[in-house]
Amino acid sequence: MAWETHEVSNQFDELSGYNLFDTDAALQEAVLRHGGHQALAQLSDYGRRMGTTDSYALADLANRHTPELKTFDARGRRIDRVDFHPAWHELLARYRGAGLISAPLRDTAPGRWAAWSAGFYQHAQIEAGTLCPSTMTLGAIPLLQREPELWAQLGDKLYSDAYDAADRPIERKQSIYIGMGMTEKQGGSDVRANQTTATPVGPGGRGAEYLLRGHKWFFSAPMCDAHLVVARTPEDGLACFFVPRWRPDGSKNAIHIQRLKNKVGNRSNSSSEVEFHDAWGLLMGEPGRGIPTIIEMATYTRLTCVLGSAAMMRQALVQGIAYTRQRRAFGNVLAEQPMMRAVLADMALESEAALALGMHLAEAYEHDTPLSQAWHRLMTPAAKFWVCKRAVELTGEAMEVFGGNGYVEEGIMGRLFREAPVNSIWEGSGNVMCLDVMRGIARQPEHARLLLADLMDMAAGEARLKQEALALAQLLQTPPAELEGLGRQFTTRLTVLAQACLLRRGAPAFVTDAFIATRFDAHWGQVSGMLNPQAMDVDRLLARALPV
């Protein structure tokens, strides 16, 4: 007698073993639109490599076998070391080996930001934790370039594509990573409440030695070779410091890791609490200008939050489409069920709009025109607010597409869902981003005028978009005290308008028309799928999102 109660049928694994770039028409078009044609072959190769079943397995291993803190060695000597699974190192090596740590700042070719963004976008679909030290390093480069003595020591190591995991002084390494230390317990996003002190060893000033004493509530990532840290000087207030893991004399710097954060997601990456026991550091930038100095670094990492959240939406969408094309329920393939078609179409529109905005925003970092500055200054926080919020919604929706199969640890869906909120929180929560938009407008109103004028030009011939742009311009006449309370409404409307305008300029008409028809419908938005699939070409939308 055979002890089999049933055969396994109508069950399908998550998609893997496909080329992330070659199956993404919107990404290919965006790279070409923003001048990255020279990188097409390299991006296709990276898309193939990151889409392999092996890459999905590496991502799973890195997140299952989380970092471990080793505070002391076997003989009681303090080492403050974090150990990682080999999968973590393999994924970091892939990213660095592809030139994605420094390429947009190291190279000068037009389209370099588009090429970098597309590579980052592909990596983030598979594993996001490895991008934390990578993107902080990218954001630190422009700051370090303005410190000639430091740059002379660090430049080649920051530009290097060779991965060096060794824990040893910087001068003995091929390549390095730079982290960040801003947040303290009592302040959170309010960095001005920081209490960590920095005492000059000698006369002090830019480039001089200081000893830091205090704590950081979030210190990411502790195994970076150095961190940019905000601390308070005796005379000038908050300043930014370069604090290496090892002192120049080869001794371990006095950065004591208290514990690793037990995070909801982003589990492959180590975030920590630390104390500085007279840690050695060098003052960067002007004394008293610590916040503006380090915020420049945060501006780059905010861009990566946008692209990373867009990538999670893309992966959630691809997995949802692939699964529903195979799974049957209620007598039909799920992808043919009318309500599921509405959900998938809505997700496809949201995903492409997020990509279009992220890629256009990245190109603004390549130029130094008044218009690119306006996009850079206002749309970076606006996009971070909206796209990161939408990633939380869409990853939850994609998990539901899988039903109970999505709510288990096996597979990528649960990890995407847990990962999504970190981009909304890291580098400033939603309210902080909206406040940043409103304050940017107040301080430089010409940026708002330039941005809205650009959107008006792109909206020409589309009454709904033109009307929205005029309404936003009128809303800016609201007294500042009242306008701040409307920050989330204004930022959301501005971002959706920008997405619609960018799709109109670069996407096929069946994408643009569906996006405008739904996003400017009073009934859209409470949950995914609140649209009429009969009013759009769902088959073409889904075939574009993932070829059959």
Side-chain angles (χ1 to χ4, degrees):
M1 179 179 179
W3 288 99
E4 292 184 4
T5 60
H6 66 285
E7 294 182 0
V8 177
S9 62
N10 202 28
Q11 289 283 350
F12 306 95
D13 297 328
E14 288 88 346
L15 179 65
S16 66
Y18 69 107
N19 190 311
L20 303 180
F21 190 74
D22 293 356
T23 55
D24 193 341
L27 180 60
Q28 296 169 45
E29 292 166 12
V31 170
L32 291 172
R33 187 162 59 249
H34 295 289
H37 56 276
Q38 78 285 351
L40 290 177
Q42 181 184 3
L43 289 169
S44 177
D45 182 66
Y46 201 63
R48 175 198 57 75
R49 191 176 188 195
M50 290 307 297
T52 62
T53 302
D54 172 62
S55 293
Y56 280 86
L58 287 170
D60 180 69
L61 286 169
N63 283 273
R64 283 186 188 278
H65 302 280
T66 55
E68 295 183 0
L69 173 62
K70 305 292 185 184
T71 309
F72 300 94
D73 70 9
R75 295 298 176 262
R77 292 178 287 261
R78 183 136 201 159
I79 56 173
D80 292 288
R81 190 185 72 219
V82 181
D83 292 337
F84 295 86
H85 190 275
W88 164 269
H89 295 293
E90 170 61 25
L91 289 165
L92 272 179
R94 285 189 184 186
Y95 188 81
R96 185 146 210 157
L100 292 167
I101 290 288
S102 60
L105 299 171
R106 179 184 65 196
D107 301 336
T108 58
R112 61 190 180 276
W113 278 94
W116 167 81
S117 299
F120 178 95
Y121 180 77
Q122 293 182 98
H123 192 101
Q125 290 182 49
I126 308 304
E127 210 291 304
T130 41
L131 294 174
C132 176
S134 302
T135 58
M136 290 188 295
T137 303
L138 174 79
I141 288 174
L143 278 67
L144 291 164
Q145 286 173 330
R146 292 200 286 273
E147 309 296 325
E149 290 187 22
L150 266 178
W151 185 251
Q153 301 171 41
L154 306 177
D156 290 345
K157 300 175 191 300
L158 289 165
Y159 279 171
S160 174
D161 293 338
Y163 178 63
D164 186 345
D167 182 18
R168 57 191 171 201
I170 286 174
E171 59 269 20
R172 293 168 51 198
K173 296 198 65 172
Q174 283 185 284
S175 63
I176 59 173
Y177 287 89
I178 308 294
M180 183 189 301
M182 283 199 293
T183 308
E184 297 184 7
K185 298 174 187 176
Q186 70 283 346
S189 295
D190 184 7
V191 181
R192 289 174 177 82
N194 280 13
Q195 297 173 354
T196 295
T197 61
T199 304
V201 174
R206 187 168 188 167
E209 299 178 47
Y210 285 73
L211 298 179
L212 279 66
R213 183 175 297 182
H215 84 282
K216 292 298 171 184
W217 188 234
F218 275 90
F219 193 70
S220 297
M223 286 302 288
C224 286
D225 300 282
H227 290 77
L228 303 191
V229 176
V230 175
R232 190 174 298 279
T233 62
E235 296 178 353
D236 300 306
L238 294 172
C240 180
F241 296 87
F242 175 84
V243 182
R245 181 165 165 77
W246 295 84
R247 291 172 179 259
D249 64 6
S251 64
K252 175 74 174 55
N253 208 356
I255 306 165
H256 293 179
I257 303 175
Q258 303 302 298
R259 62 171 174 169
L260 299 184
K261 297 290 192 179
N262 186 14
K263 295 172 293 183
V264 172
N266 198 245
R267 297 184 67 82
S268 67
N269 175 48
S270 59
S271 301
S272 63
E273 299 168 25
V274 301
E275 286 185 350
F276 302 125
H277 290 239
D278 286 343
W280 184 90
L282 297 174
L283 195 152
M284 291 178 55
E286 296 299 327
R289 296 283 296 168
I291 295 177
T293 299
I294 206 165
I295 284 297
E296 181 179 340
M297 179 182 183
T299 300
Y300 288 94
T301 50
R302 286 173 178 177
L303 170 65
T304 64
C305 287
V306 176
L307 291 167
S309 291
M312 283 184 243
M313 282 194 263
R314 168 67 186 171
Q315 183 64 197
L317 169 67
V318 165
Q319 294 296 342
I321 293 174
Y323 186 73
T324 58
R325 282 175 177 168
Q326 302 172 87
R327 176 84 170 174
R328 297 186 66 85
F330 308 109
N332 202 353
V333 176
L334 264 180
E336 298 301 323
Q337 301 282 7
M339 207 176 306
M340 182 59 74
R341 286 167 62 82
V343 170
L344 294 174
D346 205 0
M347 292 174 65
L349 293 170
E350 196 70 40
S351 173
E352 183 158 349
L355 173 65
L357 179 58
M359 293 291 285
H360 185 83
L361 187 56
E363 190 189 351
Y365 284 65
E366 191 167 313
H367 306 291
D368 193 25
T369 66
L371 181 57
S372 66
Q373 291 172 11
W375 274 88
H376 180 289
R377 174 62 188 88
L378 298 181
M379 288 308 303
T380 299
K384 181 185 179 304
F385 167 74
W386 179 247
V387 174
C388 295
K389 292 288 186 191
R390 296 304 294 160
V392 176
E393 160 72 16
L394 262 71
T395 53
E397 196 67 60
M399 179 186 282
E400 192 171 327
V401 166
F402 279 74
N405 288 338
Y407 198 64
V408 294
E409 289 296 338
E410 291 82 1
I412 195 174
M413 304 313 298
R415 187 168 79 249
L416 287 173
F417 182 68
R418 290 192 307 274
E419 193 76 37
V422 72
N423 285 337
S424 275
I425 298 168
W426 194 45
E427 304 297 18
S429 62
N431 280 357
V432 171
M433 291 301 96
C434 294
L435 284 170
D436 199 22
V437 172
M438 310 316 292
R439 289 169 182 169
I441 291 171
R443 290 170 184 164
Q444 294 175 295
E446 68 276 11
H447 280 170
R449 289 192 290 269
L450 279 170
L451 180 59
L452 287 172
D454 191 34
L455 295 177
M456 285 284 285
D457 286 345
M458 285 190 273
E462 174 50 69
R464 287 167 291 187
L465 302 187
K466 185 176 181 180
Q467 181 180 357
E468 180 69 353
L470 291 170
L472 290 176
Q474 183 62 38
L475 194 58
L476 289 178
Q477 306 307 311
T478 307
E482 297 178 28
L483 187 58
E484 184 173 306
L486 298 173
R488 284 194 172 215
Q489 180 191 132
F490 179 86
T491 302
T492 296
R493 291 172 64 182
L494 176 66
T495 309
V496 174
L497 173 63
Q499 289 179 323
C501 290
L502 291 170
L503 287 176
R504 192 163 183 264
R505 192 179 73 171
F510 68 87
V511 175
T512 305
D513 292 346
F515 186 86
I516 294 173
T518 54
R519 272 54 183 173
F520 293 90
D521 186 310
H523 298 293
W524 175 83
Q526 290 90 336
V527 296
S528 297
M530 290 191 63
L531 50 78
N532 178 10
Q534 300 301 319
M536 60 193 67
D537 196 335
V538 175
D539 288 336
R540 291 179 75 187
L541 284 172
L542 300 187
R544 174 176 172 80
L546 182 65
V548 179

